[in-house]
Amino acid sequence: MSLPYATPTAPAGPGARPAPAAVHLSAPRYVLGELRCDHTTVEGLRERARRFGMPPRADLWGWGSVYRTAKSLETLAAETARATLDGAGAAPADVDCLVLCSTRFPGGPRTHGAFVENVMAATGLGTAAFTGLTLGRCANLLAGIRTAQAYVASGMHRTVMVVTADRIADESARMENFALFSDGAASCLVSADPLGPDAYEVVAGAGAQDPAGLDWSNEISSDLAREVNRQILDEAGMKIGDIRGVLHANLYKPLVVLKERQAGFTREQLFLDNIPRLGHCFAADPLINLVDRARDGALKPHGHYLLASSVPGVRIAVLLRALPTAARTPEDPADADADADAPAAAPEGSLA
């Protein structure tokens, strides 16, 4: 088992290294496919459920809605990136690096250059540096946020745009034995200073891998999740009960509850509402759930919230502290001024 990604805790006393530079995550946003569909429209759902040994009970698994798109990945990525820029009050010229994540970038080496060019042209990012991440599957976004955190903390880059975008190419694969998939994208800015009202301090982060468990057929590992929790809580000087909420992947309800409870969390720390409402939007789920929790007034000022995602053989998590402006209650008069930037309540499709 290898355990990279942990930010080392600075030792105390004479000669100690300076504390890591402050890093913030700002203006998380997302878009969904423009077509909202009931789960009963998913191709071969009952047949696949039977093959997976799953009783066809929507209430048990959290089957609800899925979102389909006819848009390209470039379009989804650009839409959410522009929404993040607007939410942060930032200009494209302020961004000096793009971290672009996807489970499957279209085409191959001959087409990837045009793909990046199209995303950057549509968002006005110009000559910003770019990095692509794909091997982490549905943990790609959190790997991207950790990469951006390292870029900013080291001084390599000033402001990093992190974007993830995915869509189902084959409708027969929209249902798997762990989730119903929706098409969508999510984004945020990572920088030294908070940008705009929806900003969070990045307190700690960690990842853990088991190369022997990476095969798609393996189970998600609670051992890896517990190891990541240990690293993050040690770094932050906290206990697991100090985390107010876990923003996890929107897998089937029993799977999320089992694996996150085994990792040490209580059911009350989980957020299951988006499983039937939106389905599993690949790597975007943790940011989507953060956006919706903030929109619903469920975040507490200075409260700690964990973005977390697991795939077979990998667990990555990022601990955030909500700044007061990001943790407004629904009654806060500031909400009236933020409505133009806040995501809509979904169910009609695109959120940005």
Side-chain angles (χ1 to χ4, degrees):
M1 182 184 299
S2 60
L3 305 170
Y5 296 147
T7 305
T9 304
R17 292 175 295 173
V23 177
H24 292 83
L25 183 153
S26 301
R29 293 292 188 272
Y30 69 93
V31 299
L32 296 176
E34 62 277 9
L35 183 61
R36 176 177 177 259
C37 308
D38 189 76
H39 69 275
T40 55
T41 68
V42 173
E43 181 179 322
L45 182 141
R46 285 186 172 271
E47 292 75 11
R48 288 177 70 81
R50 189 178 303 113
R51 190 190 323 158
F52 295 144
M54 300 170 59
R57 290 180 48 194
D59 58 336
L60 172 64
W61 305 111
W63 296 343
S65 298
V66 295
Y67 287 77
R68 296 184 172 100
T69 189
K71 299 176 182 177
S72 67
L73 286 188
E74 294 102 315
T75 298
L76 292 173
E79 285 181 358
T80 188
R82 288 195 298 265
T84 283
L85 290 172
D86 290 344
D94 296 331
V95 177
D96 60 341
C97 182
L98 168 67
V99 176
L100 191 55
C101 310
S102 183
T103 301
R104 184 181 293 107
F105 290 113
R110 291 181 182 272
T111 61
H112 287 169
F115 178 83
V116 175
E117 178 186 8
N118 291 339
V119 172
M120 296 183 76
T123 52
L125 295 185
T127 59
F130 62 89
T131 297
L133 291 175
T134 188
L135 294 179
R137 293 169 285 177
C138 291
N140 283 329
L141 173 65
L142 296 187
I145 290 172
R146 293 286 289 143
T147 299
Q149 177 190 11
Y151 283 165
V152 172
S154 69
M156 180 182 294
H157 292 292
R158 178 182 69 250
T159 302
V160 182
M161 171 75 75
V162 183
V163 179
T164 186
D166 277 291
R167 54 169 294 179
I168 288 290
D170 178 358
E171 283 297 325
S172 67
R174 193 169 289 279
M175 179 197 181
E176 291 289 353
N177 62 349
F178 55 90
L180 286 180
F181 282 85
S182 282
D183 306 332
S187 55
C188 63
L189 289 175
V190 178
S191 56
D193 298 316
L195 303 173
D198 306 321
Y200 304 82
E201 179 189 356
V202 178
V203 176
Q209 295 79 41
D210 177 11
L214 289 171
D215 188 82
W216 184 260
S217 63
N218 289 321
E219 290 188 11
I220 288 171
S221 170
S222 298
D223 290 339
L224 294 179
R226 286 191 291 269
E227 175 57 29
V228 166
N229 288 347
R230 183 193 64 77
Q231 294 181 56
I232 286 176
L233 294 172
D234 285 352
E235 182 181 345
M238 295 170 54
K239 299 187 289 256
I240 198 166
D242 297 330
I243 296 174
R244 286 188 172 270
V246 183
L247 293 316
H248 44 71
N250 295 330
L251 310 178
Y252 293 141
K253 282 184 176 181
L255 179 58
V256 170
V257 172
L258 173 65
K259 294 300 182 179
E260 298 300 338
R261 290 293 303 275
Q262 288 177 341
F265 298 109
T266 66
R267 190 182 179 96
E268 290 70 31
Q269 288 172 293
L270 309 182
F271 178 52
L272 306 176
D273 294 358
N274 271 354
I275 296 174
R277 196 173 78 89
L278 304 180
H280 177 42
C281 299
F282 294 83
D285 289 348
L287 269 194
I288 289 174
N289 293 339
L290 177 68
V291 170
D292 288 354
R293 294 268 74 193
R295 181 205 63 205
D296 293 342
L299 305 186
K300 302 298 183 184
H302 308 293
H304 290 83
Y305 299 88
L306 189 74
L307 307 179
S309 189
S310 291
V311 298
V314 177
R315 171 75 165 199
I316 302 178
V318 175
L319 182 64
L320 304 178
R321 182 177 68 88
L323 302 185
T325 51
R328 293 187 301 271
T329 64
E331 294 77 22
D332 193 317
D335 282 349
D337 297 329
D339 283 346
D341 291 331
E348 297 307 319
S350 177
L351 299 178

